[in-house]
Amino acid sequence: MSLSSVVVVGSGLAGYTVVRELRRLDSDVSITLLSADHAGFYSKPMLSNALATGKIPDAIINSSAEQMAEQLSITIRPYTHVDAIDTSERSVHFENGAPLVYSHLVLAVGANPVRLPILGDGADEILSINNLDDYRKFRENLEDKRHVAILGAGLIGCEFANDLAAKRYQVTVFDVSSQPLGRLLPPEAGQFFRDKLTTAGVNFVLDTAIEKIDKVNGSYYLHYRDGGMVQADMVLSAVGLQPHTNLATATGIQINRGIVIDRYLQTSIQNIYALGDCAEVAGKVLPFILPISYAGRALAATLAGNPTLLRYPAMPVMVKTPACPTIVAPPAAEAEGIWKVETVENGMKALYQDKVGNLLGFALLGAATSERGALTALLPPILD
């Protein structure tokens, strides 16, 4: 089967995954991928540990846009911003150039970093890392710095903290939570994790919100409650991501936390689909690698003429913190159970179980990560 034209907006892992899977199923379909940046293919998760592994920004790119276009036999248009979607004409529009007609449109536009409402003349210079260009700017600014303040002790904040500390940078991590990885770990495991990263050189300032950042003579002064203050050479924000929904909203597509899609990854408008960090299915936004892989394969099959329901098995998440290897399978928000925490040799195991002992989630730290496979097999699927 051949479609007239599939247009994919976004060149991150989600966009390239659905394109790669679709090309595997259909060698003839016309595919055009539109990218707001250079459209090179790289692993975004690699950014948070590239420093310690010795990867310079240019070495992170696996294939250029030209190479990807040749490999996949597709048209790639880098540095192309979509201004509007005309659903009646099935076309995407740009500031310059003729509209591009599609038979099926895929939105893989990702997410944007959350920006905190912080006062002070240094607040506008807070860095965030959401793509390779952001990371390149971060590395350029890092060259003559020694102390980095990180806002957010979630997964990404802790990964960057570990990466910086491994290269002997002074690192201070702030969070409003009482523990790192507050949304992923029970308190005992959170303390274990904190202790390991502290030993590695990360300083945590928790239960604390930064209210103001002043810049004086090239240094940043982070002010928090009760007159507390920390001086740093750079400030990095890692407080979370917000699905990019502007284009979908302007098109009239249903939005909740993300772009709402059904189990076939179709939005509220026929022949427009979404996947990746921008999408919400069954009330879930899952900005991780495995969900994108499953979604990409399912959507490609649907686009190739074999409507395929999206299913998510249990998908544990690996936290890339070598100072404390951690794998988590968070229980569903609606799950009712309790954490049972056990200290093991060189690690900690936390199991989230219901009242009859069924496993609903887990957190494995240190040596306990070896139990990932056996415990994952006991978990219920995320989306069956």
Side-chain angles (χ1 to χ4, degrees):
M1 176 185 179
S2 180
L3 307 171
S4 55
S5 179
V6 173
V7 174
V8 178
V9 184
S11 62
L13 179 63
Y16 272 124
T17 295
V18 70
V19 167
R20 193 186 302 276
E21 293 294 329
L22 179 56
R23 178 57 77 223
R24 185 176 61 83
L25 297 173
D26 189 328
S27 59
D28 298 322
V29 59
S30 171
I31 304 173
T32 300
L33 185 143
L34 309 175
S35 175
D37 63 15
H38 53 82
F41 179 72
Y42 64 96
S43 173
K44 183 176 172 182
M46 185 182 293
L47 300 180
S48 61
N49 68 347
L51 191 64
T53 55
K55 290 281 189 179
I56 62 173
D58 288 342
I60 293 173
I61 297 179
N62 295 320
S63 300
S64 67
E66 293 77 14
Q67 290 169 325
M68 293 302 291
E70 182 177 358
Q71 290 173 22
L72 299 171
S73 298
I74 64 174
T75 298
I76 298 179
R77 293 172 56 170
Y79 301 107
T80 299
H81 179 76
V82 177
D83 289 327
I85 300 169
D86 186 330
T87 56
S88 61
E89 297 292 331
R90 290 193 183 179
S91 60
V92 293
H93 293 251
F94 318 96
E95 184 175 349
N96 298 306
L100 180 63
V101 176
Y102 65 84
S103 60
H104 294 75
L105 178 64
V106 178
L107 301 179
V109 291
N112 300 319
V114 173
R115 300 290 295 184
L116 295 174
I118 297 175
L119 302 175
D121 57 5
D124 289 341
E125 297 186 18
I126 298 172
L127 299 180
S128 57
I129 300 172
N130 193 39
N131 54 48
L132 185 57
D133 290 338
D134 292 339
Y135 186 71
R136 183 175 283 108
K137 181 179 179 181
F138 165 74
R139 287 290 290 267
E140 290 170 354
N141 279 271
L142 189 62
E143 288 184 3
D144 58 347
K145 308 299 191 299
R146 291 311 308 159
H147 184 192
V148 180
I150 298 178
L151 310 183
L155 186 149
I156 299 301
C158 288
E159 289 185 350
F160 273 106
N162 195 148
D163 199 42
L164 286 159
K167 299 300 288 186
R168 304 303 184 202
Y169 286 90
Q170 183 182 353
V171 184
T172 303
V173 180
F174 296 88
D175 201 288
V176 296
S177 177
S178 60
Q179 67 174 67
L181 302 182
R183 296 182 180 179
L184 299 175
L185 302 178
E188 301 95 323
Q191 185 62 54
F192 182 93
F193 182 87
R194 176 181 180 176
D195 291 344
K196 292 295 185 181
L197 264 67
T198 298
T199 300
V202 178
N203 178 42
F204 288 97
V205 181
L206 302 173
D207 286 315
T208 299
I210 298 300
E211 299 172 349
K212 182 181 180 181
I213 300 178
D214 292 324
K215 184 178 182 183
V216 181
N217 296 326
S219 293
Y220 299 93
Y221 293 81
L222 291 78
H223 300 271
Y224 51 98
R225 64 184 181 193
D226 302 326
M229 186 270 293
V230 168
Q231 179 183 352
D233 301 316
M234 178 189 291
V235 184
L236 177 64
S237 178
V239 295
L241 296 173
Q242 182 174 349
H244 183 72
T245 59
N246 293 353
L247 181 61
T249 298
T251 306
I253 294 171
Q254 182 184 354
I255 304 295
N256 189 26
R257 288 192 299 145
I259 300 172
V260 177
I261 56 174
D262 63 18
R263 293 285 296 278
Y264 294 97
L265 290 95
Q266 183 166 258
T267 70
S268 58
I269 295 181
Q270 189 175 12
N271 293 322
I272 299 181
Y273 303 82
L275 80 163
D277 295 0
C278 67
E280 175 184 340
V281 58
K284 303 178 189 297
V285 177
L286 301 174
F288 303 110
I289 300 299
L290 281 177
I292 289 174
S293 299
Y294 283 99
R297 287 195 290 270
L299 178 53
T302 294
L303 294 175
N306 179 26
T308 300
L309 200 68
L310 175 61
R311 289 184 169 88
Y312 286 145
M315 296 178 289
V317 177
M318 182 177 68
V319 185
K320 299 190 300 299
T321 48
C324 184
T326 300
I327 297 174
V328 293
E334 66 276 10
E336 295 184 4
I338 59 172
W339 284 104
K340 296 183 178 179
V341 182
E342 176 186 356
T343 299
V344 299
E345 185 176 0
N346 298 320
M348 179 170 285
K349 176 170 65 175
L351 306 180
Y352 191 82
Q353 299 173 315
D354 64 17
K355 59 184 179 181
V356 295
N358 294 314
L359 187 65
L360 304 178
F362 62 73
L364 305 173
L365 294 84
T369 56
S370 63
E371 298 188 44
R372 170 186 179 170
L375 291 174
T376 301
L378 300 176
L379 290 173
I382 294 174
L383 196 62
D384 198 4

